[in-house]
């Protein structure tokens, strides 16, 4: 009996060690979804806890060799960069966002969070270049673009500190995504599901993948 138990235990350990490398990507994704769901309801403190857990999963996934294929998806890299930003891992945010952007320079949320992270690192020149990429992508995110057009000249002119500028931008970024979720969830049936919640960039319009209409009116 003891021998049988030992064999079963050994097999369990062997199977656990042979789990697919997607486990860490899934950890990142799962916690990102939890973080985003509460972030867009302004439960910010709780969201930050989930973002930190998400960042840890993505960090482990990025260290794997070979790296799991889903970690090479632009959508996964952008989620990772967002998680890294909110976890305070600004260098990792910038690196991952740059990878997601590649030579396209048209992925507005990657450019946005890269700019914010560069600002938090004190690199204002790089931050301004990244905000230009964000604007050049024509993101149609009016709360963010309005705040940027108002505060960036003040920062450049020396009448606003970098910390105050970034805090104001963070506030408007959250306001923008909260508004996006409210607006698209209240227009159920008018936007194809694949564009609203089942696409690669579901967080732009929804609180969760394919959860449109579940939180009507929030």
């Amino acid at each position: 009996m003891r021998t049988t138990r030992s064999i079963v235990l050994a097999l369990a350990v062997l199977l656990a060690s042979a789990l697919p490398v997607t486990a860490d990507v899934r950890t990142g994704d799962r916690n990102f979804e939890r973080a985003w769901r509460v972030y867009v309801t302004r439960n910010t403190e709780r969201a930050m806890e989930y973002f930190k857990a998400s960042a840890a999963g993505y960090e482990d996934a990025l260290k794997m060799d070979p790296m799991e294929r889903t970690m090479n998806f632009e959508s996964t890299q952008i989620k990772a960069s967002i998680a890294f930003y909110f976890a305070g891992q600004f260098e990792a945010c910038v690196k991952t966002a740059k990878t997601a952007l590649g030579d396209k320079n048209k992925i507005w949320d990657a450019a946005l969070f890269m700019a914010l992270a560069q600002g938090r690192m004190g690199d204002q020149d790089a931050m301004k270049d990244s905000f230009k990429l964000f604007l050049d992508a024509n993101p149609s995110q009016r709360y963010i673009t309005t705040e940027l057009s108002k505060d960036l000249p003040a920062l450049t002119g020396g009448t606003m500190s970098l910390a105050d500028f970034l805090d104001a931008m963070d506030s408007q970024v959250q306001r923008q995504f909260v508004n996006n979720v409210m607006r698209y969830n209240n227009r159920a049936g008018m936007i194809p599901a694949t564009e609203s919640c089942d696409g690669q960039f579901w967080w732009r319009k929804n609180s969760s993948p394919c959860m449109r209409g579940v939180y009507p009116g929030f």
Side-chain angles (χ1 to χ4, degrees):
M1 179 68 71
R2 187 172 300 173
T3 302
T4 302
R5 288 178 180 173
S6 298
I7 293 172
V8 170
L9 180 60
L11 285 172
V13 171
L14 182 62
L15 288 171
S17 65
L19 284 173
V21 293
T22 53
D24 289 310
V25 178
R26 285 199 299 265
T27 297
D29 286 345
R30 182 170 61 250
N31 283 289
F32 182 88
E33 290 172 20
R34 290 169 174 165
W36 202 255
R37 189 160 53 245
V38 292
Y39 175 73
V40 296
T41 59
R42 295 190 179 279
N43 191 344
T44 309
E45 185 175 346
R46 189 178 179 194
M48 295 306 117
E49 295 176 5
Y50 285 134
F51 277 128
K52 288 178 182 177
S54 177
Y58 288 132
E59 184 177 23
D60 286 344
L62 286 167
K63 292 176 182 177
M64 290 181 175
D65 186 17
M67 196 164 64
E68 208 281 323
R69 68 182 186 87
T70 58
M71 199 63 235
N72 289 307
F73 294 169
E74 288 176 354
S75 56
T76 306
Q77 291 165 357
I78 296 168
K79 286 186 291 184
S81 68
I82 294 172
F84 286 139
Y85 177 73
F86 286 121
Q89 297 176 230
F90 304 127
E91 289 186 9
C93 172
V94 171
K95 182 178 179 180
T96 312
K98 281 184 177 178
T99 302
L101 281 169
D103 57 0
K104 298 176 183 177
N105 294 338
K106 291 296 181 182
I107 306 176
W108 63 263
D109 31 10
L112 171 65
F113 283 94
M114 182 167 68
L116 293 170
Q118 288 166 331
R120 293 293 179 186
M121 293 166 65
D123 192 342
Q124 291 195 45
D125 290 338
M127 178 191 74
K128 291 174 183 177
D129 288 341
S130 296
F131 273 130
K132 185 178 184 302
L133 292 178
F134 164 74
L135 294 172
D136 287 347
N138 297 313
S140 300
Q141 306 296 305
R142 67 185 180 93
Y143 292 124
I144 301 173
T145 54
T146 298
E147 191 72 20
L148 188 58
S149 66
K150 177 171 68 75
D151 289 348
L152 192 56
L155 174 67
T156 302
T159 59
M160 188 177 200
S161 71
L162 178 60
D164 287 345
F165 168 80
L166 291 167
D167 287 346
M169 291 303 304
D170 277 351
S171 177
Q172 293 306 307
V173 166
Q174 186 173 27
R175 181 186 181 190
Q176 184 68 67
F177 284 113
V178 169
N179 179 264
N180 289 353
V181 171
M182 289 176 60
R183 184 156 54 101
Y184 285 101
N185 275 271
N186 285 335
R187 294 171 64 186
M190 297 179 66
I191 301 170
T194 53
E195 293 182 14
S196 66
C197 70
D198 196 27
Q200 288 185 317
F201 306 108
W202 58 265
W203 60 89
R204 293 177 176 176
K205 300 174 182 177
N206 277 268
S207 57
S208 301
C210 287
M211 294 298 287
R212 184 167 173 221
V214 173
Y215 306 104
F218 83 51

